[in-house]
Amino acid sequence: MNAEIVATRFRFAVNVLPKDGILDPQGRAVEQSLPHLGIAGIGHVRVGRRVELAVDAPDAAAARGLVDELARELLCNPMIEQYAIEVLGAISAARGEAGG
Amino acid sequence: MSVRVGVVVFPGSNCDADTAWALARAGAEPVELWHEHADLAGVAAVVLPGGFAYGDYLRAGVIARFSPVMRAVAGYAAAGGLVLGICNGFQVLAEAGLLPGALLRNRSLRFVCRDVTIRAERVDTFFTYRVPAGRVLRMPVAHGEGCYYADEATLDELERDGGVLFRYADDEGNPAGVEGRDNPNGSLRAIAGVINAAGNVAGLMPHPERAADILLGSDDGMLVLRSLVESAAARAQDGPAIGEGGAARFTPRAAGMGR
């Protein structure tokens, strides 16, 4: 049962939000709807995007590095957006075992 | 012999045929450039037309940036080739970093489709030298993400260095404010179009190809497209082909076309 672990599948979420100070008309629209719902005490609403993905990599640092690159190059426009990476979990894949 | 001008076709482009038609009217031979080919077929200028390239998924224009044709366009632009982005094409150029700034969701959150008035801030460029100084142009916009944004320092730099090519204005040519009907999307400094520092890459949100005949309500767009086509023709005649031994030497100013 001592199968060699060749890669681990790491799951991440990348949360992309408009940068502070950037106009966020969606957030403003949500905020302006609150009085109609009779909800008080909520403010500073900002609407962004969440991207979930899985990465096969030898270790967590390598996986995170890839996600970081993807976020910088594609998922987020650094001129107008910022992102945060969230770790969702990992599943090890073993060679030569059922389901490996 | 008319000059060949490329029109890039992405999956989701929907103004490519109109753009080709208007370019032909301006005296060019339009050449469709398919997004999967990294070959610009020796054209003398490239137009990125409007539409919803790759469904506008993620952010308008961002996925198009990684297509084979855009790698070729980036190299072409770096070598001095003329590139014009219209609407979605402008968004693609901004996402690709070929033009400064970004196009955000319209302040109103609505897709805006109507005629607007713009004024050319410069009439000494490859894209505008046919525009009479002080003349406002009437042409349609049709977009959901056209709110021009750049940080204050970049905006100041654009203003100082002549990077603002078009601005939304009222019928008398007074620049629009950030709010109000004359600015259809809330663009900062009412910017409707920009041009890069080298002067060979430009983008605008309004559609010149939809204002290409008086029957369409305006033919003001032809002033822009004729400028581009004639610049491309003059450069093709004047110098070596772009990317084959240096940028062509033609400039509107040198040719006495600017005012």
Side-chain angles (χ1 to χ4, degrees), chain A residues 16 19-30 49 51 71-81, chain B residues 58-59 62-63 65-66 94-95 99-109 147 149-151 179 185-186:
Chain A
V16 182
K19 264 165 86 170
D20 295 333
I22 297 268
L23 173 76
D24 174 18
Q26 292 188 92
R28 197 176 56 178
V30 171
R49 173 188 294 115
V51 181
R72 268 186 286 118
E73 288 292 317
L74 178 66
L75 302 181
C76 170
N77 180 342
M79 204 183 312
I80 51 174
E81 295 168 324
Chain B
L58 199 59
R59 288 186 308 279
V62 67
I63 295 178
R65 172 189 160 194
F66 297 99
E95 279 287 350
L99 286 174
L103 284 313
L104 303 180
R105 184 74 68 95
N106 294 347
R107 236 168 248 265
S108 64
L109 283 174
C147 175
Y149 172 86
D151 60 38
E179 310 273 349
N185 47 39

Side-chain angles (χ1 to χ4, degrees), chain B:
Chain B
M1 200 187 77
S2 55
V3 64
R4 288 155 50 85
V5 175
V7 179
V8 173
V9 183
F10 296 111
S13 295
N14 63 11
C15 302
D16 44 324
D18 289 1
T19 302
W21 180 84
L23 285 169
R25 206 175 154 78
E29 180 196 332
V31 179
E32 287 193 351
L33 301 171
W34 184 237
H35 68 111
E36 283 181 346
H37 299 158
D39 174 18
L40 300 185
V43 294
V46 174
V47 179
L48 305 185
F52 300 85
Y54 299 90
D56 269 1
Y57 293 132
L58 199 59
R59 288 186 308 279
V62 67
I63 295 178
R65 172 189 160 194
F66 297 99
S67 61
V69 76
M70 280 309 294
R71 285 181 224 280
V73 168
Y76 182 76
L82 294 180
V83 181
L84 175 66
I86 299 169
C87 193
N88 192 227
F90 182 16
Q91 295 164 338
V92 173
L93 291 174
E95 279 287 350
L98 294 174
L99 286 174
L103 284 313
L104 303 180
R105 184 74 68 95
N106 294 347
R107 236 168 248 265
S108 64
L109 283 174
R110 291 201 175 89
F111 189 95
V112 181
C113 183
R114 60 176 166 85
D115 284 356
V116 298
T117 304
I118 59 174
R119 68 176 207 194
E121 299 294 288
R122 291 183 59 190
V123 292
D124 62 340
T125 75
F126 296 125
F127 308 92
T128 54
Y129 75 83
R130 277 282 181 186
V131 180
R135 164 100 127 71
V136 296
L137 307 177
R138 195 82 183 142
M139 53 182 91
V141 290
H143 59 249
E145 286 99 11
C147 175
Y148 186 80
Y149 172 86
D151 60 38
E152 284 296 310
T154 305
L155 290 170
D156 289 343
E157 202 179 300
L158 285 173
E159 303 271 11
R160 192 190 62 221
D161 300 342
V164 180
L165 190 56
F166 296 105
R167 222 186 287 271
Y168 299 109
D170 67 15
D171 292 344
E172 279 75 51
N174 304 304
V178 166
E179 310 273 349
R181 190 170 164 80
D182 291 329
N183 186 338
N185 47 39
S187 288
L188 295 182
R189 315 238 178 140
I191 291 172
V194 297
I195 184 165
N196 69 342
N200 64 310
V201 181
L204 76 167
M205 288 311 296
H207 286 269
E209 83 285 5
R210 295 192 194 180
D213 191 293
I214 204 71
L215 280 174
L216 300 170
S218 168
D219 59 358
D220 289 350
M222 290 305 290
L223 296 168
V224 175
L225 297 178
R226 274 205 197 96
S227 299
L228 171 67
V229 170
E230 290 172 14
S231 299
R235 282 162 53 113
Q237 215 167 50
D238 194 49
I242 298 300
E244 295 167 15
R249 291 180 299 274
F250 170 81
T251 65
R253 207 186 287 281
M257 288 164 163
R259 269 164 294 267

